[in-house]
């Protein structure tokens, strides 16, 4: 989340209202339609994901710089990996993560932070959240190499920390599985 963004949680309604306040440079890109407005983009990406069987939050309302989403009750994938010693369960979650990330790459949706905190585990299912920085560019080429480098860096960076907490985590193995699936499906 950017410094100026505001997130308001309504406990009664179990909703999140996110007000996005981008810098002027990004506002100009939105105004000249070089990119979708953030609220419109979140809605677009959420619909694209749902059409491709990637679970995400329900959007109740959106505008150019705001979204209201329904809460997904559960824990972050990071918490589930760290706090669970059931090897089979952790492997199931990691395999779901691999499938989702592979689908996102195959859809040519760019995102540079596949952080485990951006995935929620609810009733054994994995949901993608924090969609404001995902984008499917319509004016530029999909930057697969750049995204794969970031993904590898993310997974390798987490490996050392997570391996101490959960012996079943292996960032290199996860990255290689995603890379192989992406290559195979090209």
């Amino acid at each position: 989340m950017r410094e100026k963004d505001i997130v308001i949680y309504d406990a009664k309604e179990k909703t999140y209202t996110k007000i996005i306040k981008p810098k002027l440079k990004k506002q100009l890109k939105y105004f000249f339609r070089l990119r979708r407005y953030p609220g419109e983009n979140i809605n677009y990406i959420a619909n694209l994901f749902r059409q491709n069987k990637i679970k995400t939050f329900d959007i109740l309302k959106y505008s150019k710089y705001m979204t209201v989403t329904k809460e997904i009750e559960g824990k972050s994938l990071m918490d589930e990996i760290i706090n669970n010693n059931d090897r089979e369960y952790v492997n199931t979650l990691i395999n779901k993560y691999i499938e989702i990330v592979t689908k996102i790459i195959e859809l040519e949706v760019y995102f540079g932070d596949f952080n485990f905190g951006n995935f929620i585990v609810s009733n054994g299912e994995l949901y993608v959240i924090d969609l404001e920085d995902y984008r499917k560019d319509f004016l530029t080429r999909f930057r697969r190499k750049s995204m794969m480098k970031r993904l590898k860096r993310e997974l390798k960076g987490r490996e050392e920390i997570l391996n101490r907490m959960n012996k079943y985590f292996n960032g290199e193995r996860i990255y290689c599985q995603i890379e192989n699936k992406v290559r195979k499906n090209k």
Side-chain angles (χ1 to χ4, degrees):
M1 180 169 67
R2 294 174 262 321
E3 261 183 58
K4 294 181 182 180
D5 291 354
I6 299 168
V7 178
I8 303 163
Y9 177 66
D10 182 331
K12 184 179 175 188
E13 297 294 322
K14 294 193 176 195
T15 61
Y16 287 95
T17 300
K18 186 170 217 168
I19 301 165
I20 302 159
K21 297 188 174 196
K23 293 182 179 179
L24 180 61
K25 184 177 176 182
K26 282 197 175 180
Q27 287 179 29
L28 291 172
K29 287 180 181 182
Y30 305 140
F31 179 78
F32 289 111
R33 304 307 269 169
L34 300 173
R35 284 203 184 151
R36 288 180 189 88
Y37 283 94
E40 293 169 355
N41 187 61
I42 291 169
N43 186 60
Y44 172 78
I45 295 295
N47 285 331
L48 178 66
F49 282 4
R50 280 192 290 277
Q51 289 167 3
N52 287 279
K53 298 182 180 14
I54 298 171
K55 295 181 183 319
T56 191
F57 46 69
D58 291 329
I59 297 176
L60 304 175
K61 183 176 162 185
Y62 73 94
S63 65
K64 290 179 179 179
Y65 294 108
M66 184 270 307
T67 59
V68 178
T69 60
K70 195 78 177 147
E71 176 184 26
I72 300 169
E73 293 186 28
K75 294 181 180 177
S76 76
L77 177 58
M78 177 70 88
D79 288 343
E80 286 292 294
I81 290 172
I82 289 171
N83 298 317
N84 201 305
N85 287 318
D86 180 346
R87 182 183 182 131
E88 191 173 315
Y89 177 68
V90 170
N91 278 334
T92 298
L93 292 177
I94 289 172
N95 286 333
K96 287 180 181 191
Y97 172 84
I98 290 167
E99 291 301 318
I100 289 171
V101 171
T102 301
K103 271 188 188 179
I104 290 170
I105 293 167
E106 288 172 347
L107 289 169
E108 297 187 346
V109 173
Y110 182 81
F111 185 59
D113 182 13
F114 288 103
N115 180 328
F116 290 161
N118 292 334
F119 295 81
I120 298 289
V121 179
S122 178
N123 298 320
E125 294 297 326
L126 201 57
Y127 291 77
V128 183
I129 61 168
D130 209 14
L131 300 181
E132 67 266 9
D133 290 326
Y134 283 77
R135 67 180 185 272
K136 187 162 176 71
D137 289 336
F138 45 90
L139 293 176
T140 60
R141 280 188 54 226
F142 176 62
R143 299 173 293 181
R144 183 184 311 258
K145 281 185 182 179
S146 170
M147 192 169 68
M148 293 300 286
K149 281 182 187 178
R150 287 181 135 191
L151 175 61
K152 186 174 190 175
R153 199 170 46 240
E154 177 76 35
L155 290 170
K156 290 296 289 175
R158 300 253 180 233
E159 180 174 39
E160 186 178 319
I161 298 164
L162 288 173
N163 219 352
R164 286 189 212 138
M165 296 174 193
N166 190 315
K167 60 188 174 196
Y168 308 122
F169 180 80
N170 182 309
E172 181 70 28
R173 180 181 56 83
I174 293 170
Y175 175 78
C176 288
Q177 285 181 280
I178 293 169
E179 185 179 44
N180 288 336
K181 283 180 174 265
V182 168
R183 281 187 184 154
K184 185 176 88 175
N185 294 335
K186 247 183 170 178

